[in-house]
Amino acid sequence: MARSSTVSARRLGGWFSVHSDGNTGGDLLALDTVADWLRERRVSFSVAVSEIARYADLISYPMVRADTVHPADADILVWMRGPLSVDAETPLLAVFAGKPRIAWGVSTTPPDAEGHFDTVIARDRPGEPGRLDLSFRSRTAPVPVVGLIYAGPQPDYRTPCEPVVRTVVRDALATRDNAKIEIATRMPVEGNRLQTPAQREVQR
């Protein structure tokens, strides 16, 4: 099948393009920010990911496998967020050799990585004031944060209800979009970041 000679699409790349487990929630929020900006301007785009199945429930935009991108498929690469520790040998970067390559919201570490891009809009660069991270500009709707404090197994009580309570709470929260944080109140517990009663109270 012949490829179109007129290309107006953008490829969006980032750590989700080269690592299956190297990206963070912030990387995906930054993706939302850039995607919103492009859609408002009616610019078509797709996201280059390392594994489509890995991101099927995390990314709602059109996706392509990064290792299948063809130079004729798009005209601009936008690489976003994170340390700019990529080089000319990075496969996705090499595909766009000779085409505009933009790094947006990145940390320029090491500085010579900037040479692989035509335009670098740095989040932070040595010796310069930093910019607000792209993830903070996301319009993703906030969800409730639910703090969970379980009593834990207590042999003093004749009826061990805690497993039942955990099941009921788990099933109820599973029907709603929320962020669940389990809070330990036993003191002291080795490995807990919060070590005093006052610190525990702040966590509530």
Side-chain angles (χ1 to χ4, degrees):
M1 180 177 178
R3 296 180 182 273
S4 171
S5 59
T6 301
V7 181
S8 59
R10 274 68 172 163
R11 291 285 189 235
L12 305 184
W15 286 105
F16 40 79
S17 305
V18 294
H19 296 293
S20 294
D21 56 358
N23 63 274
T24 65
D27 295 328
L28 300 181
L29 289 174
L31 172 61
D32 287 337
T33 299
V34 176
D36 284 344
W37 188 84
L38 291 174
R39 288 192 297 188
E40 286 176 356
R41 289 154 181 79
R42 298 183 179 180
V43 176
S44 61
F45 66 90
S46 60
V47 183
V49 297
S50 57
E51 298 177 30
I52 290 180
R54 166 75 172 80
Y55 294 99
D57 295 328
L58 299 173
I59 296 176
S60 59
Y61 315 111
M63 291 184 287
V64 295
R65 280 184 58 106
D67 58 3
T68 65
V69 174
H70 189 278
D73 288 337
D75 56 353
I76 294 176
L77 172 66
V78 179
W79 185 277
M80 65 196 72
R81 204 172 182 272
L84 199 58
S85 55
V86 295
D87 55 43
E89 301 304 317
T90 300
L92 189 60
L93 208 60
V95 167
F96 283 84
K99 294 185 177 183
R101 297 182 293 192
I102 301 169
W104 190 359
V106 297
S107 296
T108 55
T109 306
D112 59 359
E114 292 194 41
H116 304 307
F117 292 86
D118 301 282
T119 301
V120 176
I121 306 172
R123 173 183 61 187
D124 49 89
R125 181 184 281 122
E128 296 184 10
R131 288 186 173 91
L132 187 67
D133 192 282
L134 285 173
S135 63
F136 290 111
R137 300 182 185 275
S138 170
R139 299 173 188 171
T140 301
V143 299
V145 178
V146 181
L148 302 174
I149 301 177
Y150 292 111
Q154 292 181 299
D156 305 301
Y157 294 103
R158 294 181 179 179
T159 305
C161 295
E162 200 232 5
V164 177
V165 171
R166 283 181 176 267
T167 299
V168 171
V169 172
R170 181 199 63 202
D171 292 347
L173 293 178
T175 64
R176 297 167 174 82
D177 189 9
N178 54 74
K180 294 172 282 293
I181 300 177
E182 191 163 332
I183 302 171
T185 59
R186 298 289 181 183
M187 306 209 54
V189 177
E190 184 178 354
N192 278 350
R193 291 174 298 170
L194 306 179
Q195 295 295 326
T196 69
Q199 292 174 3
R200 298 281 182 206
E201 189 63 26
V202 170
Q203 190 179 34
R204 295 185 188 184

